[in-house]
Amino acid sequence: VLSRSLADEGIPDGLITTLEEVLSDRPGAVASARKMDGLLARFGLPAPRQRPPEVCPLGPEDAARISDHFRRATRLLVQITPHRVAFYPTEELRLLIALSNERPDPSEALSYLRRYALAIVALLDLMGDDEE
């Protein structure tokens, strides 16, 4: 329903897919660790502390593609949001515009894109759904 509502406003359907791509953990193979956790649990032993999942590196081409997609979405959201909310989300739009103007180092691309994605999600959440 959200995708249909966004499409009615001119926001591409691929935005949700790109947001999921950035916000997922993209972990490597951890099947063997899960087997060990199951074995420990069966004997009543506590599971070992889990390390954060290893994140696959984000290539410069992927980072540029996603940044471009988010910047295009930002331009649309700045135009559409004031008509879809009960109050003008000044702080959320300010953050979104600031992130669209930021140019991070390649080593900081993933964290930057995650912050950008969360800012977009927060704004989409404020916009809500027409069906409500």
Side-chain angles (χ1 to χ4, degrees):
V1 174
L2 177 60
S3 295
R4 188 175 61 238
S5 176
L6 293 175
D8 290 343
E9 297 292 345
I11 297 173
D13 187 40
L15 178 62
I16 301 298
T17 305
T18 305
L19 290 168
E20 289 173 350
E21 177 183 355
V22 171
L23 294 175
S24 71
D25 286 333
R26 302 170 0 160
V30 291
S32 61
R34 290 188 181 140
K35 288 181 184 177
M36 180 57 96
D37 290 349
L39 184 64
L40 290 172
R42 193 166 56 190
F43 289 113
L45 299 171
R49 266 190 153 174
Q50 296 206 357
R51 295 182 206 161
E54 291 186 23
V55 177
C56 300
L58 188 65
E61 298 84 22
D62 288 334
R65 174 185 55 82
I66 293 168
S67 295
D68 183 54
H69 196 173
F70 284 174
R71 286 186 186 100
R72 283 184 276 132
T74 297
R75 287 190 295 272
L76 287 170
L77 288 169
V78 166
Q79 293 173 1
I80 294 168
T81 302
H83 305 287
R84 298 275 317 259
V85 295
F87 65 93
Y88 191 82
T90 306
E91 190 61 28
E92 289 82 0
L93 285 172
R94 184 202 60 76
L95 176 60
L96 199 62
I97 292 168
L99 286 166
S100 74
N101 293 326
E102 195 172 321
R103 301 295 186 260
D105 290 331
S107 63
E108 299 173 352
L110 185 58
S111 62
Y112 160 73
L113 290 173
R114 285 184 173 169
R115 285 184 288 127
Y116 204 164
L118 289 172
I120 291 172
V121 168
L123 202 54
L124 291 174
D125 188 44
L126 287 176
M127 288 172 56
D129 184 20
D130 291 339
E131 303 296 321
E132 293 181 338

